[in-house]
Structures are given as C-alpha cells and as structure tokens.
Amino acid sequence: MEPGWKADLHPEFRQDYFKALADFVVEERKIHTVYPPPGEVFRAFDLTPFDKVRVVILGQDPYHGPGQAHGLAFSVKHGTILPPSLVNIFKEAQADVGFKPPGHGCLEHWAKQGVFLLNTVLTVRAHEAGSHRGQGWEKFTSAAVRALLGLQTKPLIFVLWGSDARKFAPLIDPDRHCILEAPHPSPLSAHRGFFGSKPFSTINDTLKYLGQPPIDWQLPEQ
C-alpha cells in the first residue's frame, strides 16, 4: 500500500476486526475463487496517494465476474468486456461532458488525477455479489474515509453511488466537503436518478471553484 495510506491506516491493520477479516479472506480463497487477486485488493490506494486525493467515488463491492475486478471501483482491466454499470457510467459521462467511450473500461487515468475509486467492500466471491459484506471491510473503508476527513488542508468531493455508498454520508461534514449522491449506475437503478445527475461536470465545476484543475475524464485508448 502507498506509504501515506499505510501510515494513516496502520492502526486498523492491528485491530482484531481486521485480523479476523484477513483470516476470512484467506479461508475464502482456499475454497472459492475470490476477486480481485491478492495483489490488487488495495490498488485504489496505490494509484491515488493519500495526499493527492481530490475526489472520492464510492461504490459497493467489486465486480464478481472473471477478470473484471482489479481494485478500483467500477473499473475493469484492458481487454475485459464492460460490465453494465460501467456502460451506464460512460453513457452519463457522454451526455454530461461529451466523453467518448474508449475501447476499454480501465479507469486508472482518473485515479492518477486524484479520483479515489473506492468500493465499500474490497473483495467478493466469484459470481456472488455482496458475498463479503459484513465481514469487516465496511469498517476498514470507513476508517479510510475518516482518515481523509482528518485532512484539514482542503475540502474534498465525495460521490456516493448506490445505497451502500450513501451509508457513508453521515461521516462527512457537508459544510466542509461536497457530497454528490445518486442511485447506483446498475441497470436495476440507473434510471431512478443516476442518468441526468451530471456528476462529472459538477465535480469539475466544484474543483474550479476550489481553485484546482479539473479532472480530464476522457480516457486514453491505451
């Protein structure tokens, strides 16, 4: 894990709940296929250093299909068919900021600009959405959010997509930070308010107001 994150979250790794969580994931991997692979569970933390976070996009748990999850919320590796939720994210970005969908769904370009793509749960059993909920990940990712909120140097933008992510709203001071909430981009809920929510332009307008450069949402082809 990136040193800044590791320093702030080190106390969590020593707590009993995290040890139990780690044991649970190890046992799950012995019996089932678990995503993402071990070396990619904390990928979001590695690509977006603690002191570089400007925007937090919260999802729920990782994609549970083969070769999809790689540690970034909503993102998939190059060469992977786009999941329906990501297709809908791209549709909204296209309508909102003129985004042109590339031939892949890897969102690392966003992460490297300070967009922390965090799921509330960081592992999942193959083909079983939500199978690792309630095992301790939510406590850990809440600690990550609280660590960010402890930064007194700059306001942050929190984008909460879906009911799992919206549960984090009470942690965030709306007088200090910007909170954007919408239904999950899944086909089951996107038409209930995700489409038309204009998160990408709102994020950039807010960053400009804060005197920060906007996010380049357009993903490179490679």
Side-chain angles (χ1 to χ4, degrees), residues 88-104:
N88 287 339
I89 290 170
F90 283 179
K91 285 180 180 178
E92 178 61 19
Q94 191 168 11
D96 185 13
V97 293
F99 175 87
K100 296 178 181 179
H104 65 87

Side-chain angles (χ1 to χ4, degrees), residues 75-187:
S75 180
V76 293
K77 294 180 180 180
H78 285 266
T80 304
I81 295 174
L82 269 61
S85 294
L86 187 54
V87 170
N88 287 339
I89 290 170
F90 283 179
K91 285 180 180 178
E92 178 61 19
Q94 191 168 11
D96 185 13
V97 293
F99 175 87
K100 296 178 181 179
H104 65 87
C106 181
L107 306 182
E108 291 186 359
H109 179 63
W110 296 359
K112 291 175 182 178
Q113 297 177 75
V115 181
F116 186 39
L117 296 163
L118 180 67
N119 278 314
T120 58
V121 173
L122 300 187
T123 56
V124 67
R125 190 184 298 174
H127 310 299
E128 295 186 39
S131 51
H132 285 189
R133 287 177 178 161
Q135 298 295 332
W137 278 127
E138 296 91 341
K139 187 171 183 178
F140 177 77
T141 51
S142 293
V145 169
R146 284 196 298 272
L148 286 171
L149 294 172
L151 286 175
Q152 299 300 317
T153 57
K154 61 183 179 180
L156 298 170
I157 302 169
F158 288 86
V159 183
L160 313 181
W161 285 341
S163 58
D164 287 14
R166 292 168 103 166
K167 291 176 183 176
F168 280 55
L171 298 175
I172 306 163
D173 180 359
D175 293 328
R176 175 163 178 76
H177 304 282
C178 176
I179 305 174
L180 307 178
E181 297 187 51
H184 194 274
S186 159

